Amino acid sequence: MRMSLEEQVRSAVAALLHAAGESQTVLAAALGVSQAQVSRRQAGTAAWSLADCDAVAAHFGIGTLDLLAGPTAATQALPPERRRSASRASGRVRRAAPVQEASGR
């Protein structure tokens, strides 16, 4: 079954937030709205306007048409520098295991 354009935009925004390692709060601040407003748009109780779509696309550094095309096109268009790193993905900084010296006894 084909997703509606509204569902595609909500899915694309969710995918971009995940791929960039950002929260709704960060996106809301960039758009000049509250996190609750972003949440309502993502839940489908309020709509993303075309102006919102332009602003979201600009925030993530992608074209508006990539955003409207859905999550796959949007995340593929996401510039590499906007993608979260492996250490940010897990929420932890990876550290090398300590080196243990061999005991001569």
Side-chain angles (χ1 to χ4, degrees), residues 4-96:
S4 71
L5 181 57
E6 292 169 353
E7 291 169 324
Q8 283 185 205
V9 171
R10 287 194 305 268
S11 293
V13 171
L16 288 166
L17 287 170
H18 179 76
E22 289 186 6
S23 66
Q24 288 183 356
T25 303
V26 171
L27 179 59
L31 300 178
V33 300
S34 70
Q35 182 276 327
Q37 288 173 305
V38 171
S39 180
R40 284 192 293 275
R41 290 171 183 152
Q42 283 302 94
T45 57
W48 286 104
S49 70
L50 289 177
D52 293 332
C53 291
D54 281 340
V56 169
H59 172 71
F60 286 108
I62 67 171
T64 305
L65 292 178
D66 291 318
L67 177 70
L68 296 175
T72 302
T75 54
Q76 286 175 346
L78 189 64
E81 63 273 9
R82 293 290 282 128
R83 295 182 184 276
R84 65 179 165 175
S85 66
S87 62
R88 283 178 48 203
S90 67
R92 295 180 283 166
V93 175
R94 293 185 179 195
R95 295 188 177 107

